[in-house]
Amino acid sequence: MINCNGWRRFLFCLPLIFFLPYLFSVMELHQSLPHKSHKEKFDHLVLGPAAGQGLRDRLQCQDRKALNKDQFSALPQIPNSEDAVSIVTVFTIYNTSAAEKSSKLVTVGETSYTKMERSLAILDVFINFIKVSMPQSNIVILTDPASDLSMHRNNVNVVPIAGEYSRDKLMLQRIKSYIAFLEMKLEEHSRKQEYNHHYIFTDSDISVVDDLGQIFQNYPKFHLALTFRNNKEQPLNSGFIAVRGTHDGILRAKVFLKEVLEIYSSKYMEASRMLGDQKALAWIVMSHPSFDAKRFTRPQPFMDEIRGASVLFLPCAIYNWTPPEGAGQFHGMPLDVKVVHFKGSRKRLMLESWNFYNSSPSPSIPDMLCLILMSGRTKYDF
């Protein structure tokens, strides 16, 4: 009980007279509101509104159907290049502990997967989409020689490269494996007549949904290409690196990646498990005296000379689109998207999107993209 006898006590207690009712009302309101809980992860697709509806040059969807499917086919199409293109990724298999083997299975469609089987299924879908969008291309899987990885599929080659493939060092090893692969290609060039066989290094959790060979035709003067986004902390994504298959292109790309590796090892080893390569890439590019970082704010391709290499910068919105990350999701999916990157728990969505495409009587990439767009904001159990 508050005793407010006397003028001094009255003046002291006066603010409390007005404040206490307000405090009690706030407490009552707080008690009446539902308590927030961690966002639930789902073990099945959860569809919602497709972002970007009504916006120009964006995919328009209704009931998992692309309404502007004709605009996809009406986009300028360049014939497949006579030059060969290989998609190169790094993948390894880890020994599964008894605890992991006995852990809960994850079911996608009618198939249940262990943790290792999930990884292999994602790699398989990675290959499947390339076979649909770039049927003439080759697929190269760089792996640990100790990894028991075998792929019996046409135009798929497994190339063992020695190194440290532990989970903590995998991103660091990925750059080393890229460099070793490019050195192998330089040796091949020295032994026979030079020819153009281009290379695109990617993560294995992407879906190629259009012919990437167009890059080398549309932009004939670059040595290597990187993807960028409007993100001050991480403007460059290492999940997509294209290299022109000339001797000069391979050599300059190798030298560039060696510099990235040096910066990675000297400055960002605390991020060796993840993001260290992207930080090193950004440091190499942003430290160039004449580089204008404002160009990252505009989703338009551009070129620049970086460390002696002609570097083509391609917008992630088209060549590395990730649901639901970044402004691209809020504004929908561009009609000319070529690569969808299923980071983190989005990998369930990658498997589901292939099942949807493969089980359709009339398989349609635009319809499949609608499925991805409508379910991209959901947290899944991968």
Side-chain angles (χ1 to χ4, degrees):
M1 192 73 172
I2 299 174
N3 185 359
C4 290
N5 293 331
W7 281 104
R8 290 183 179 180
R9 291 182 179 177
F10 175 76
L11 292 175
F12 175 78
C13 295
L14 185 60
L16 293 176
I17 295 173
F18 294 99
F19 177 72
L20 285 175
Y22 170 76
L23 178 63
F24 291 144
S25 64
V26 170
M27 292 174 62
E28 289 176 2
L29 177 62
H30 176 74
Q31 291 175 355
S32 66
L33 291 174
H35 293 288
K36 292 183 179 180
S37 59
H38 294 291
K39 194 167 184 181
E40 183 181 359
K41 288 188 175 183
F42 293 92
D43 60 358
H44 58 280
L45 283 189
V46 179
L47 301 182
Q53 299 310 286
L55 296 180
R56 183 173 172 269
D57 297 332
R58 292 296 187 267
L59 179 64
Q60 305 296 302
C61 305
Q62 185 176 29
D63 298 329
R64 283 176 280 185
K65 294 291 183 181
L67 300 179
N68 48 353
K69 197 176 298 186
D70 292 341
Q71 288 180 255
F72 264 86
S73 58
L75 290 172
Q77 296 294 318
I78 299 175
N80 287 332
S81 170
E82 294 180 358
D83 298 335
V85 177
S86 286
I87 310 297
V88 185
T89 193
V90 171
F91 184 90
T92 190
I93 296 175
Y94 296 104
N95 292 328
T96 306
S97 66
E100 288 176 327
K101 288 180 180 178
S102 62
S103 63
K104 181 181 177 182
L105 296 176
V106 171
T107 302
V108 180
E110 298 180 354
T111 307
S112 296
Y113 301 98
T114 63
K115 191 171 184 178
M116 185 182 74
E117 289 169 343
R118 262 183 281 172
S119 297
L120 290 170
I122 290 162
L123 181 65
D124 200 47
V125 170
F126 165 78
I127 295 170
N128 291 342
F129 273 115
I130 295 171
K131 294 291 186 184
V132 169
S133 301
M134 301 176 65
Q136 302 303 317
S137 66
N138 298 311
I139 299 165
V140 180
I141 303 171
L142 309 180
T143 191
D144 183 356
S147 177
D148 184 19
L149 179 64
S150 59
M151 301 295 297
H152 303 289
R153 301 188 62 173
N154 293 334
N155 298 329
V156 178
N157 299 307
V158 177
V159 179
I161 294 180
E164 187 176 356
Y165 288 82
S166 65
R167 288 184 174 92
D168 287 342
K169 300 290 180 63
L170 185 59
M171 293 298 99
L172 188 67
Q173 179 59 44
R174 183 171 68 170
I175 297 293
K176 293 179 179 179
S177 296
Y178 289 172
I179 293 170
F181 178 79
L182 292 175
E183 287 175 342
M184 291 167 53
K185 296 305 161 185
L186 283 173
E187 290 181 9
E188 291 178 9
H189 270 259
S190 66
R191 291 198 301 266
K192 55 188 175 184
Q193 185 177 1
E194 183 172 329
Y195 66 97
N196 285 1
H197 191 129
H198 309 303
Y199 304 99
I200 301 176
F201 297 91
T202 74
D203 289 348
S204 59
D205 56 355
I206 70 159
S207 293
V208 177
V209 296
D210 199 358
D211 180 16
L212 296 175
Q214 299 175 16
I215 299 171
F216 302 98
Q217 295 180 344
N218 292 346
Y219 307 97
K221 295 183 179 180
F222 75 90
H223 294 126
L224 73 153
L226 306 172
T227 55
F228 72 91
R229 57 202 170 194
N230 186 16
N231 184 317
K232 290 183 179 180
E233 298 297 323
Q234 300 170 30
L236 297 170
N237 184 274
S238 58
F240 183 104
I241 302 174
V243 175
R244 185 171 298 281
T246 61
H247 184 276
D248 197 36
I250 296 173
L251 177 60
R252 290 179 185 270
K254 186 198 80 167
V255 172
F256 183 91
L257 290 178
K258 275 194 169 183
E259 293 193 52
V260 172
L261 179 61
E262 182 181 344
I263 296 301
Y264 193 165
S265 301
S266 61
K267 291 180 176 292
Y268 301 111
M269 283 305 292
E270 78 282 357
S272 61
R273 186 181 180 94
M274 189 175 294
L275 303 180
D277 53 345
Q278 297 185 163
K279 290 182 177 182
L281 271 174
W283 192 95
I284 291 287
V285 171
M286 304 283 279
S287 64
H288 196 271
S290 63
F291 187 79
D292 182 9
K294 290 182 180 178
R295 286 180 290 185
F296 286 154
T297 64
R298 300 182 292 271
Q300 301 295 330
F302 65 92
M303 286 187 61
D304 207 335
E305 292 290 323
I306 308 290
R307 305 294 180 105
S310 295
V311 181
L312 171 65
F313 293 89
L314 298 168
C316 283
I318 297 173
Y319 294 92
N320 208 333
W321 189 86
T322 302
E325 193 169 294
Q329 169 68 6
F330 297 116
H331 298 296
M333 183 185 289
L335 283 172
D336 52 351
V337 66
K338 300 185 186 301
V339 174
V340 180
H341 195 167
F342 297 91
K343 300 174 187 175
S345 63
R346 302 169 184 87
K347 291 174 180 57
R348 165 178 282 278
L349 184 53
M350 181 177 179
L351 298 187
E352 295 275 14
S353 63
W354 172 254
N355 288 347
F356 175 79
Y357 175 86
N358 194 44
S359 62
S360 173
S362 303
S364 164
I365 288 289
D367 288 348
M368 184 221 41
L369 293 177
C370 277
L371 181 77
I372 294 171
L373 185 63
M374 295 174 71
S375 53
R377 283 195 174 277
T378 306
K379 292 283 187 180
Y380 293 112
D381 58 350
F382 269 53

